[in-house]
Amino acid sequence: MSESFMKEEMKAYRVQGFSCASCANIFENNVKRLQGVEDAKVNFGASKVYVKGQTSLEELEKAGAFENLKVRDEKEQKIEHKPFWKHKENIKAYIAVILLVTGWVLGKQSGEGHLLSTIGYGASILIGGYTLFIKGLRNLSRLQFDMNTLMTIAIIGAAIIGEWVEGAAVVILFAISEALERYSMDKARQSIESLMDIAPKEALIRRENEEIRIHVEDIQIGDIMIVKPGQKLAMDGTVIKGASTLNQAAITGESVPVTKTINDEVFAGTLNEEGLLEVRVTRRVEDTTLSKIIHLVEEAQAERAPSQAFVDKFAKYYTPAIVMLAMFIAVIPPIFFSEDWSTWIYQGLAVLVVGCPCALVISTPVAVVTAIGNAAKNGVLIKGGVYLEEIGKLKAIAFDKTGTLTKGIPAVTDIVTFLGNEDELISLTAAMEKGSQHPLASAIIKKAEEKGLPFNDISVEAFQSMTGKGIKASVNNEIYYVGSPSFFEALHQQIKSDQKVIVDDLQAAGKTVMVLGTATEILALIAVADEIRESSKAVISQLNRHGIETVMLTGDNQRTAKAIGQQIGVTNVEADLLPADKLAFIKEFRGTHQHVAMVGDGVNDAPALAASTAGVAMGGAGTDTALETADIALMSDDLNKLPYTIQLSRKALTIIKQNITFSLGIKAVALWLVVPGWLTLWIAIFADIGATLLVTLNSLRLLRIKK
């Protein structure tokens, strides 16, 4: 059974107070052992637990009592965070510092090793390290080796050999290291939590001619929501009255407000800047685009990046290896080289401290969570660490043409007449095309409407659509045809040379040519083209400069496709493709380039999106298909988000590699100090804190990357 399906059956709760990934694992196992619980899954990045079965909040909090975790229903309002300095764990550290200083002062007055100073240091160790010892001793009894086990052995060992001051210092500095971990993960999560506060919790609703303010949970589909200027929308819906500009930056990342009028779709969390709007609600609160974004981003944090999987696997063997190394350092020199026992036991304890994998364990998740949160705030939805890393490794990107590189809205660009008046011929063509389902028909009808032509008054009879060729119909008892040049070539045996030259020139410019005529004469040529997005050329140029091969995939004929490809600047063009051909091309492309992205609209490109190593959907806002099928969704129809996403991903990859290098490198240098016997508990704990601080600050640099 898939994880996503399992989660659909599970009830979600939000958890406050996770300090580390290992604590999340302990909590998960504790919840699984609760009576009535069939299964449980913790998402550490999003601070959520999914529970299958029957339990209560009280039972869940008991399962998290070891870490003083607070649990609430997923839909419950966010608990206000205490200031960092007020956290219970930090308060214990303050008391431990006071006791350490008291012990040191007493030692100065009464002499080091005096009972009073030892009591002060011992009290500092017990109060500051109480929670640590409980976890460490429990793990030790089960022969589970993690950072809590290492620190517990080191601190107890320091006390046994009389190093009370350093034992107390290790407790306090380890508490600081854990506080840094909590701070970095909380900071990374805040970008996600801030999304939850975007939409109001209440809205003004009109029911039975009465306006009432009600909670979003009680708003039903079909309710009329009244949104005044300066207010945010609480629900998704469709405008039924009024016009205004909406700031959609929170959903799509668009910096420029968008004009909304009757029948336009609007989203919860967007800001109404000018006019009064009446909006018919189209989705319940749990189904709004904003809710889906939050849900998908939180789920993304549970998807482990490849580098995180490597770190977790490495740490699994690294920690027991450190314990073995520390033991060898403590016993081999005294046994085989008659060295002093206390000196080398001390060195072994210092190795345990320096080997603590705090920085290594958070090196990847804090970077991944920070990057995914930053992307979400800039209108890019990345569905997991694996895709965050993948987009940074891209060697090639394939683009669907229609609706991606172009606007997807064909428009008439040229009208060439041979017989008759231009307006009359456009009216005639539009009247015939009213019965057609062809995408180009809308361009001709739109042109007639723009010119204010009375094409609706023309009576069309005996309409017939000829698939792949064109249409024919009777108007005023004469048969007219609208179709491709090749259709008229077959109909007339040949096209006149001067007309053929015009057709060739229009096609060479990347335009689709439609011909209006009778069985004997060509009356007019109508050229239609899909407008290229303003951003396409600049984005493709930027990608090419970064060494990424760009390919345009289209169902257009080779000549038209090549002309458009040259205008945009893609390195390669693949034309005359059906959806199945696009899928086959992506599979073949992956074989030669390994890391290949497909950018499309998420509907007819779904198979190709799924086959690529990273599927990118355009315009995800309000489009369920795009949100579900793509690995990455650009929430607005803005291709400029693509280079930003690649930049963010590459920076995240660099930072993850730096973090792993920092965390292991600092420890390696500290461990070399064992050789001359210079490693002390002070150096060991400062190396651990230094690595954690470096990894944390380095990861938070990802918050500064903007579009």
Side-chain angles (χ1 to χ4, degrees):
M1 189 177 290
S2 70
E3 185 176 323
S4 59
F5 182 75
M6 283 288 289
K7 284 183 180 175
E8 285 176 15
E9 292 184 340
M10 293 177 163
K11 181 168 174 56
Y13 300 88
R14 298 195 179 277
V15 184
Q16 189 173 350
F18 279 141
S19 61
C20 61
S22 61
C23 306
N25 291 334
I26 293 168
F27 177 62
E28 182 180 295
N29 291 328
N30 288 352
V31 173
K32 284 179 180 177
R33 286 194 286 268
L34 291 176
Q35 189 173 357
V37 173
E38 298 173 45
D39 194 12
K41 186 76 177 173
V42 167
N43 179 337
F44 173 60
S47 273
K48 290 172 79 174
V49 60
Y50 298 89
V51 180
K52 185 180 181 183
Q54 296 296 319
T55 189
S56 63
L57 288 172
E58 291 74 18
E59 288 298 312
L60 290 172
E61 290 198 343
K62 280 182 187 176
F66 71 97
E67 187 79 345
N68 196 32
L69 300 178
K70 300 297 179 190
V71 183
R72 69 185 193 276
D73 190 274
E74 184 184 31
K75 295 178 182 178
E76 201 174 311
Q77 288 289 308
K78 187 176 70 173
I79 299 172
E80 284 303 313
H81 285 284
K82 285 183 181 177
F84 184 67
W85 59 274
K86 282 187 177 180
H87 287 192
K88 184 180 176 182
E89 298 81 1
N90 296 347
I91 291 171
K92 287 193 293 186
Y94 306 148
I95 297 170
V97 170
I98 293 168
L99 290 170
L100 172 63
V101 172
T102 303
W104 180 78
V105 170
L106 290 172
K108 284 291 181 184
Q109 292 176 349
S110 310
E112 283 298 333
H114 191 277
L115 180 62
L116 287 175
S117 66
T118 303
I119 289 172
Y121 297 141
S124 175
I125 289 171
L126 283 173
I127 291 172
Y130 173 76
T131 308
L132 167 67
F133 296 147
I134 295 295
K135 297 176 193 172
L137 292 171
R138 186 190 295 117
N139 290 346
L140 197 57
S141 68
R142 297 171 182 164
L143 295 179
Q144 293 176 349
F145 295 97
D146 65 3
M147 61 189 79
N148 296 304
T149 317
L150 298 188
M151 299 305 286
T152 299
I153 296 170
I155 294 161
I156 292 173
I160 290 171
I161 63 172
E163 298 291 346
W164 290 95
V165 183
E166 296 194 25
V170 167
V171 165
I172 292 163
L173 293 173
F174 181 70
I176 293 171
S177 178
E178 286 219 304
L180 281 172
E181 281 190 55
R182 281 193 300 275
Y183 174 78
S184 61
M185 287 307 296
D186 284 348
K187 187 78 175 171
R189 289 179 187 128
Q190 277 172 19
S191 58
I192 310 303
E193 290 196 4
S194 64
L195 292 174
M196 299 176 195
D197 296 329
I198 289 173
K201 303 301 179 219
E202 291 184 334
L204 187 64
I205 299 293
R206 181 186 296 131
R207 286 181 181 169
E208 297 175 358
N209 295 322
E210 184 183 356
E211 294 182 5
I212 51 173
R213 185 164 291 279
I214 60 176
H215 195 275
V216 289
E217 294 286 341
D218 301 320
I219 297 175
Q220 301 296 322
I221 293 173
D223 278 343
I224 305 302
M225 178 171 63
I226 299 166
V227 189
K228 297 175 182 177
Q231 291 184 339
K232 284 185 176 181
L233 279 73
M235 306 290 284
D236 284 8
T238 304
V239 177
I240 60 168
K241 187 177 180 182
S244 183
T245 56
L246 266 61
N247 185 331
Q248 300 190 143
I251 304 298
T252 65
E254 294 167 286
S255 55
V256 180
V258 180
T259 302
K260 297 288 184 179
T261 57
I262 293 171
N263 294 327
D264 284 343
E265 187 176 18
V266 291
F267 308 115
T270 56
L271 177 66
N272 180 20
E273 294 193 337
E274 295 174 353
L276 180 71
L277 291 178
E278 291 190 14
V279 177
R280 178 174 283 107
V281 175
T282 55
R283 292 188 177 108
R284 287 189 53 78
V285 66
E286 62 268 20
D287 297 322
T288 64
T289 300
L290 178 61
S291 296
K292 286 176 182 173
I293 292 171
I294 294 168
H295 174 73
L296 289 169
V297 171
E298 288 181 334
E299 293 305 298
Q301 295 179 28
E303 295 289 332
R304 290 170 181 261
S307 54
Q308 187 175 346
F310 158 75
V311 166
D312 291 345
K313 192 173 183 180
F314 180 80
K316 183 180 176 183
Y317 299 103
Y318 165 84
T319 311
I322 286 291
V323 173
M324 295 298 292
L325 177 63
M327 192 165 65
F328 287 146
I329 288 170
V331 301
I332 286 177
I335 291 175
F336 293 100
F337 303 102
S338 301
E339 296 285 343
D340 180 56
W341 276 97
S342 63
T343 299
W344 287 97
I345 287 174
Y346 179 87
Q347 290 286 300
L349 295 175
V351 167
L352 285 179
V353 174
V354 83
C356 181
C358 302
L360 181 65
V361 168
I362 68 164
S363 61
T364 302
V366 72
V368 169
V369 171
T370 303
I372 288 174
N374 183 6
K377 292 181 81 171
N378 282 282
V380 179
L381 208 55
I382 303 174
K383 288 192 178 177
V386 62
Y387 307 117
L388 174 70
E389 290 196 14
E390 186 59 46
I391 201 82
K393 298 175 183 174
L394 291 179
K395 298 289 188 293
I397 302 178
F399 293 86
D400 172 53
K401 178 184 77 76
T402 307
T404 302
L405 294 173
T406 64
K407 293 180 179 177
I409 306 170
V412 173
T413 57
D414 302 86
I415 302 168
V416 182
T417 59
F418 300 110
L419 287 171
N421 175 274
E422 179 181 304
D423 285 355
E424 289 177 357
L425 294 174
I426 288 293
S427 293
L428 173 63
T429 310
M432 292 174 64
E433 290 286 10
K434 276 197 304 180
S436 172
Q437 298 297 314
H438 197 280
L440 299 181
S442 60
I444 294 170
I445 293 168
K446 185 178 178 184
K447 185 69 175 177
E449 288 173 343
E450 286 174 0
K451 291 169 77 77
L453 302 176
F455 65 94
N456 287 312
D457 298 338
I458 298 174
S459 176
V460 176
E461 297 175 348
F463 174 86
Q464 185 181 344
S465 175
M466 297 168 287
T467 306
K469 297 176 182 178
I471 59 172
K472 75 172 184 176
S474 174
V475 178
N476 295 329
N477 297 318
E478 185 165 356
I479 301 295
Y480 292 93
Y481 298 85
V482 178
S484 64
S486 58
F487 168 63
F488 273 83
E489 187 86 46
L491 186 67
H492 294 167
Q493 304 307 317
Q494 64 177 20
I495 296 179
K496 292 177 183 177
S497 58
D498 59 330
Q499 295 172 339
K500 179 73 172 169
V501 169
I502 297 171
V503 169
D504 289 346
D505 288 344
L506 290 170
Q507 287 182 336
K511 298 170 183 177
T512 301
V513 179
M514 302 170 70
V515 184
L516 168 67
T518 65
T520 57
E521 292 284 350
I522 290 179
L523 304 177
L525 301 177
I526 302 170
V528 176
D530 187 358
E531 289 183 76
I532 294 170
R533 289 182 187 273
E534 293 82 358
S535 58
S536 293
K537 192 172 181 179
V539 168
I540 295 298
S541 174
Q542 203 172 341
L543 294 174
N544 289 339
R545 282 200 307 273
H546 283 87
I548 296 174
E549 185 177 341
T550 52
V551 183
M552 185 180 81
L553 308 181
T554 178
D556 283 349
N557 65 71
Q558 186 70 41
R559 195 170 185 176
T560 301
K562 191 174 181 182
I564 294 172
Q566 285 176 342
Q567 288 179 53
I568 295 171
V570 291
T571 50
N572 195 9
V573 173
E574 295 290 329
D576 297 310
L577 299 180
L578 297 170
D581 299 326
K582 290 182 184 179
L583 175 61
F585 175 80
I586 292 293
K587 286 181 177 178
E588 183 183 334
F589 213 40
R590 278 188 67 175
T592 55
H593 292 74
Q594 279 78 51
H595 302 284
V596 177
M598 170 71 189
V599 185
D601 61 13
V603 184
N604 60 346
D605 299 313
L609 287 171
S612 62
T613 50
V616 183
M618 290 279 290
T623 312
D624 292 343
T625 312
L627 292 175
E628 288 164 12
T629 58
D631 305 316
I632 296 166
L634 310 181
M635 299 306 287
S636 65
D637 282 338
D638 184 4
L639 268 180
N640 285 306
K641 299 286 177 65
L642 192 56
Y644 154 76
T645 308
I646 292 170
Q647 178 198 1
L648 178 68
S649 173
R650 288 182 172 180
K651 190 69 175 176
L653 280 172
T654 301
I655 282 177
I656 287 168
K657 289 172 185 173
Q658 289 172 350
N659 286 351
I660 294 171
T661 305
F662 291 154
S663 56
L664 292 176
I666 290 172
K667 293 179 185 301
V669 170
L671 286 172
W672 272 109
L673 297 177
V674 171
V675 178
W678 296 345
L679 185 62
T680 66
L681 285 173
W682 290 98
I683 293 174
I685 194 64
F686 275 117
D688 184 58
I689 283 188
T692 303
L693 185 59
L694 207 55
V695 163
T696 300
L697 295 177
N698 197 38
S699 297
L700 295 179
R701 286 167 56 211
L702 287 167
L703 290 173
R704 292 162 46 195
I705 296 176
K706 303 295 178 190
K707 184 173 79 69

